[in-house]
Amino acid sequence: MSQLKDVYTKEFLTTFANQVTEYKNNFKTTLFVDDILSDNWEELSLRERMKKIAMTLESYLDGDYEEQLPIILKLHEKNRGFNFLFLPDFVSLFGLNKKHFHLSLDYLKRLTTYSSSEFAIREFILMDYQAVFKLLLEWSLDSNEHIRRLASEGSRPVLPWGVKLTIYDKTPEISLPILENLKNDSSLYVRKSVANHLNDLSKKNPDLIVNLSQNWQGISKETDWMIKRANRTLIKQAYPPALSLFGYQKPGQMFDIFESSITTKETELYIGDELTFSYFIKTSNNSSTPIRLEFGIDYIKANGKPSLKKFHLFDGLSDKSNFSGTKRISFKNLTTRKHYSGEHKIYLFMNGYPINETKFSLKIKSFAIR
């Protein structure tokens, strides 16, 4: 199965190198491509490949940094999207110094409109977070949605594949003025970023996010969507203040559960098989309170201990008093999850609280040796 990093083929790199010759006619395209693909190229991760392309580009691109930047910008204007994130990387690799600090940030602002400078700008935050956060606050009011998103996404506490911003360990509230400017943004692209940023913060600072959500709640339907998504981890963890914020009541308070069940078709199965389960809930619900249904599986880890993973079934107001359904879960090994044998439990949750459970056994297939 191909991976994201596999996009950087010899053909891709050659096409890009040929474009560089439009601005530098003495650019050595063949040597450039060969250098990138040499040594341990196959072993490099996606982000490592991006950085190697950027570093190799600099070594073959004549002129000093200030002369190279306009070429980087023109190349990115011609080649847009995620696959060309190595162009903003160029800036963070070679412009991260006091002399070029503000020039580099200005170019990251321009480059982000063609892909995203979210990874590159984090290096500058680590260098001088006060200067960069001041700038991001200005960018959060920009007319371009890509620049506004960069203000949120580039400063996320935990950006996947990005360097960690340790400043949040001491001052978790530092980015809130930026997010305040974006709380009712017209762009879904921006709102998703703000929600993810807040969700990052919630994992170590739950009350900070619940309190902020209370202040934002009811501003608009867009803001309400944003804060619901921002609290998704807290809701999955059944954090009471977050559940209460969105009206999720503990069963037995606003409604009763008369009957519930969760049953599996198979009590034993092998790694690679599918599990089929059914659930049924009979309640006194009258649609006046939100209902959130989830199921969870205690996956066995390599050390033999369980690790709970929750999955969505239903969320919202419903005039139904009974809920039922059937689901199938694959136990094939994936790059993102490896399965281990042992007794697994499967749970049924309503509004964050477990209401029923059952168990099944997962085994390893044995093959006879002839």
Side-chain angles (χ1 to χ4, degrees):
M1 186 171 62
S2 63
Q3 302 179 57
L4 283 173
K5 67 179 186 177
D6 294 333
V7 70
Y8 300 120
T9 60
K10 186 172 184 177
E11 181 182 9
F12 176 100
L13 296 169
T14 301
T15 299
F16 176 77
N18 287 334
Q19 291 176 351
V20 180
T21 62
E22 297 177 22
Y23 310 104
K24 286 286 184 179
N25 55 23
N26 62 340
F27 188 76
K28 299 174 182 178
T29 58
T30 302
L31 289 176
F32 168 74
V33 174
D34 289 345
D35 264 9
I36 291 173
L37 299 176
S38 64
D39 301 327
N40 62 337
W41 174 254
E42 291 300 323
E43 301 169 15
L44 299 181
S45 67
L46 173 65
R47 290 293 295 140
E48 288 170 339
R49 289 189 177 192
M50 288 179 175
K51 289 185 178 181
K52 184 174 183 181
I53 295 171
M55 293 179 72
T56 309
L57 177 60
E58 195 278 337
S59 67
Y60 280 88
L61 205 57
D62 292 340
D64 61 24
Y65 178 70
E66 294 181 17
E67 294 172 323
Q68 293 167 340
L69 280 179
I71 297 174
I72 296 299
L73 184 62
K74 290 175 182 176
L75 287 168
H76 210 2
E77 186 176 6
K78 181 174 291 189
N79 301 286
R80 306 186 180 201
F82 181 87
N83 296 340
F84 295 91
L85 282 177
F86 57 83
L87 293 169
D89 281 342
F90 184 99
V91 177
S92 65
L93 287 168
F94 303 105
L96 194 65
N97 53 64
K98 289 184 178 180
K99 178 182 178 182
H100 296 127
F101 190 82
H102 292 287
L103 175 66
S104 295
L105 287 170
D106 179 62
Y107 267 84
L108 287 182
K109 179 182 179 183
R110 294 198 243 177
L111 290 168
T112 203
T113 61
Y114 305 129
S115 62
S116 178
S117 297
E118 64 197 65
F119 297 107
I121 202 167
R122 296 172 80 81
E123 303 291 347
F124 292 86
I125 293 174
L126 292 177
M127 183 179 177
D128 187 346
Y129 73 89
Q130 291 179 323
V132 178
F133 271 74
K134 182 179 179 181
L135 199 57
L136 293 179
L137 186 61
E138 294 177 15
W139 293 358
S140 67
L141 299 172
D142 198 274
S143 60
N144 188 295
E145 67 173 348
H146 295 274
I147 295 170
R148 297 198 308 275
R149 179 184 179 272
L150 178 60
S152 169
E153 195 72 8
S155 61
R156 273 182 64 179
V158 185
L159 180 66
W161 299 331
V163 295
K164 183 183 177 182
L165 300 181
T166 55
I167 184 64
Y168 286 101
D169 294 338
K170 295 182 179 179
T171 52
E173 72 286 351
I174 191 170
S175 61
L176 295 190
I178 295 170
L179 305 183
E180 187 72 29
N181 285 345
L182 302 170
K183 68 178 181 291
N184 198 28
D185 201 276
S186 59
S187 167
L188 178 60
Y189 187 49
V190 176
R191 294 198 302 273
K192 283 183 177 180
S193 175
V194 173
N196 289 336
H197 189 130
L198 291 171
N199 186 57
D200 287 350
L201 284 172
S202 76
K203 294 172 184 178
K204 290 186 177 180
N205 308 276
D207 291 335
L208 177 69
I209 301 312
V210 170
N211 291 337
L212 179 140
S213 299
Q214 289 174 331
N215 293 333
W216 287 9
Q217 199 169 39
I219 291 176
S220 69
K221 63 179 182 179
E222 290 80 11
T223 308
D224 285 346
W225 176 91
M226 188 188 297
I227 62 173
K228 180 70 173 293
R229 188 174 175 87
N231 283 270
R232 64 186 184 274
T233 295
L234 297 180
I235 292 172
K236 276 196 171 186
Q237 293 173 344
Y239 186 60
L243 292 174
S244 178
L245 181 66
F246 299 102
Y248 297 118
Q249 299 293 325
K250 184 177 182 179
Q253 293 181 338
M254 294 293 291
F255 63 92
D256 293 314
I257 296 178
F258 300 131
E259 182 182 346
S260 72
S261 66
I262 181 167
T263 57
T264 61
K265 185 178 179 181
E266 305 85 5
T267 57
E268 293 184 354
L269 67 154
Y270 294 98
I271 294 174
D273 292 344
E274 283 190 337
L275 173 78
T276 302
F277 75 89
S278 300
Y279 64 92
F280 174 76
I281 310 168
K282 183 178 181 180
T283 75
S284 62
N285 175 56
N286 60 5
S287 79
S288 63
T289 181
I291 297 293
R292 180 179 177 86
L293 293 182
E294 299 165 291
F295 71 92
I297 297 178
D298 262 342
Y299 287 103
I300 300 300
K301 300 189 293 184
N303 62 7
K305 295 181 179 180
S307 176
L308 180 65
K309 173 73 174 176
K310 285 186 176 181
F311 302 90
H312 174 265
L313 287 171
F314 175 82
D315 192 356
L317 291 172
S318 174
D319 56 5
K320 296 192 303 181
S321 57
N322 296 348
F323 301 86
S324 62
T326 299
K327 300 286 290 184
R328 289 195 300 177
I329 305 297
S330 173
F331 282 86
K332 290 181 179 179
N333 284 330
L334 305 170
T335 55
T336 53
R337 178 180 291 125
K338 186 175 181 180
H339 298 285
Y340 298 92
S341 61
E343 184 178 275
H344 288 56
K345 287 186 178 181
I346 182 167
Y347 305 88
L348 188 60
F349 294 90
M350 177 170 274
N351 288 3
Y353 297 91
I355 59 173
N356 217 314
E357 66 181 70
T358 189
K359 58 186 177 181
F360 59 94
S361 181
L362 187 63
K363 298 183 175 182
I364 301 173
K365 287 182 181 178
S366 59
F367 298 93
I369 300 175
R370 297 182 179 178

